[in-house]
Amino acid sequence: MFSDAIPNEGEVIKIKDGEYIYIPNFFDLQKANYYLKQLTDTIEWKQESMNMYGKQIDFPRLTAWYGDSDKPYSFSGITLSPHSWSKELIEIKNLIEPKSKVSFNSVLLNRYRDGNDSISWHTDAEKELGKNPVIASVNFGAERKFQLKHIETDERIEIALKHGSLLIMQGELQHFWKHQVPKTKAKVNERINLTFRVIK
């Protein structure tokens, strides 16, 4: 059973073994619409795949990796080499860093084309991210459910990530909580998610 999380905007929400900040309208509607179009049109999107049970299975979403030139990223059996920062990504990075209190050097972008696109339970706890990584998640496009599940207690939290929102995950959260964006049968438009991070 998920508990709906409706935190006070911009406050640090402390949960068992972690904390987060959620700002639903970090970008106003005009800015959010602008970035959604620019990222859709200019990012070098790619259909990645992974080996599962002896078969190559496409990820149920498109992805892209941008950042400093010396910061590759490995997950799910693949290694991504970064594209150079775009103008829009630098703008977004500069806007979220004061709130995140972190200088990010990389960003993973996921493009969810419809309700069939998703990302399954995982943590952002790869060794390249170090201890207690701060992950800043920016969302443009269709509202989708973001779900958290504690690894040991199975406690669950659900947040509806809105168009133009910013979610900052910090503290021990990545070491103790998995997260996902599940598929939905509802008719939804495209969504682009950016997760800014620091690769050590």
Side-chain angles (χ1 to χ4, degrees):
M1 178 70 68
F2 286 96
S3 62
D4 291 331
I6 309 176
N8 293 326
E9 182 173 322
E11 287 188 4
V12 175
I13 305 301
K14 294 186 181 295
I15 56 178
K16 178 180 173 61
D17 303 316
E19 57 189 49
Y20 65 89
I21 299 168
Y22 179 54
I23 307 174
N25 300 301
F26 187 84
F27 297 90
D28 64 30
L29 182 59
Q30 182 179 2
K31 272 289 188 184
N33 288 342
Y34 168 77
Y35 283 127
L36 176 62
K37 183 177 189 322
Q38 290 299 111
L39 296 173
T40 300
D41 294 344
T42 65
I43 291 298
E44 296 188 47
W45 298 105
K46 187 176 180 182
Q47 177 64 73
E48 296 286 356
S49 63
M50 64 184 294
N51 189 286
M52 185 180 291
Y53 310 118
K55 295 181 179 180
Q56 284 298 120
I57 306 296
D58 286 345
F59 286 2
R61 61 194 177 279
L62 302 179
T63 61
W65 179 247
Y66 281 71
D68 295 354
S69 61
D70 62 338
K71 302 298 181 184
Y73 186 46
S74 298
F75 66 98
S76 298
I78 65 172
T79 298
L80 303 178
S81 297
H83 298 292
S84 298
W85 292 101
S86 70
K87 170 179 168 288
E88 289 78 22
L89 291 176
I90 287 289
E91 289 174 359
I92 296 168
K93 183 171 102 77
N94 289 341
L95 289 168
I96 67 171
E97 283 181 340
K99 186 64 181 177
S100 305
K101 299 178 182 177
V102 171
S103 180
F104 298 107
N105 61 24
S106 305
V107 60
L108 177 66
L109 297 96
N110 286 300
R111 182 176 176 181
Y112 301 82
R113 295 158 290 189
D114 55 33
N116 289 316
D117 277 358
S118 63
I119 190 166
S120 59
W121 289 116
H122 69 287
T123 62
D124 292 328
E126 293 83 4
K127 64 180 182 180
E128 299 100 318
L129 298 175
K131 184 178 180 181
N132 296 344
V134 176
I135 307 290
S137 172
V138 176
N139 306 280
F140 299 119
E143 180 178 310
R144 294 288 295 268
K145 293 178 179 178
F146 178 83
Q147 298 174 339
L148 290 156
K149 179 173 68 172
H150 195 280
I151 292 171
E152 297 174 354
T153 68
D154 206 40
E155 179 184 350
R156 302 187 183 207
I157 296 169
E158 185 172 280
I159 306 170
L161 295 183
K162 299 180 180 297
H163 181 40
S165 66
L166 171 64
L167 172 71
I168 302 169
M169 297 175 281
Q170 57 193 34
E172 297 180 304
L173 190 144
Q174 295 301 330
H175 303 302
F176 288 94
W177 293 78
K178 293 182 178 182
H179 55 273
Q180 71 167 357
V181 176
K183 296 180 187 300
T184 176
K185 293 181 180 178
K187 184 176 176 57
V188 294
N189 293 324
E190 282 200 314
R191 167 185 183 253
I192 291 176
N193 169 255
L194 305 84
T195 46
F196 289 84
R197 54 195 74 200
V198 177
I199 301 296
K200 306 292 186 180

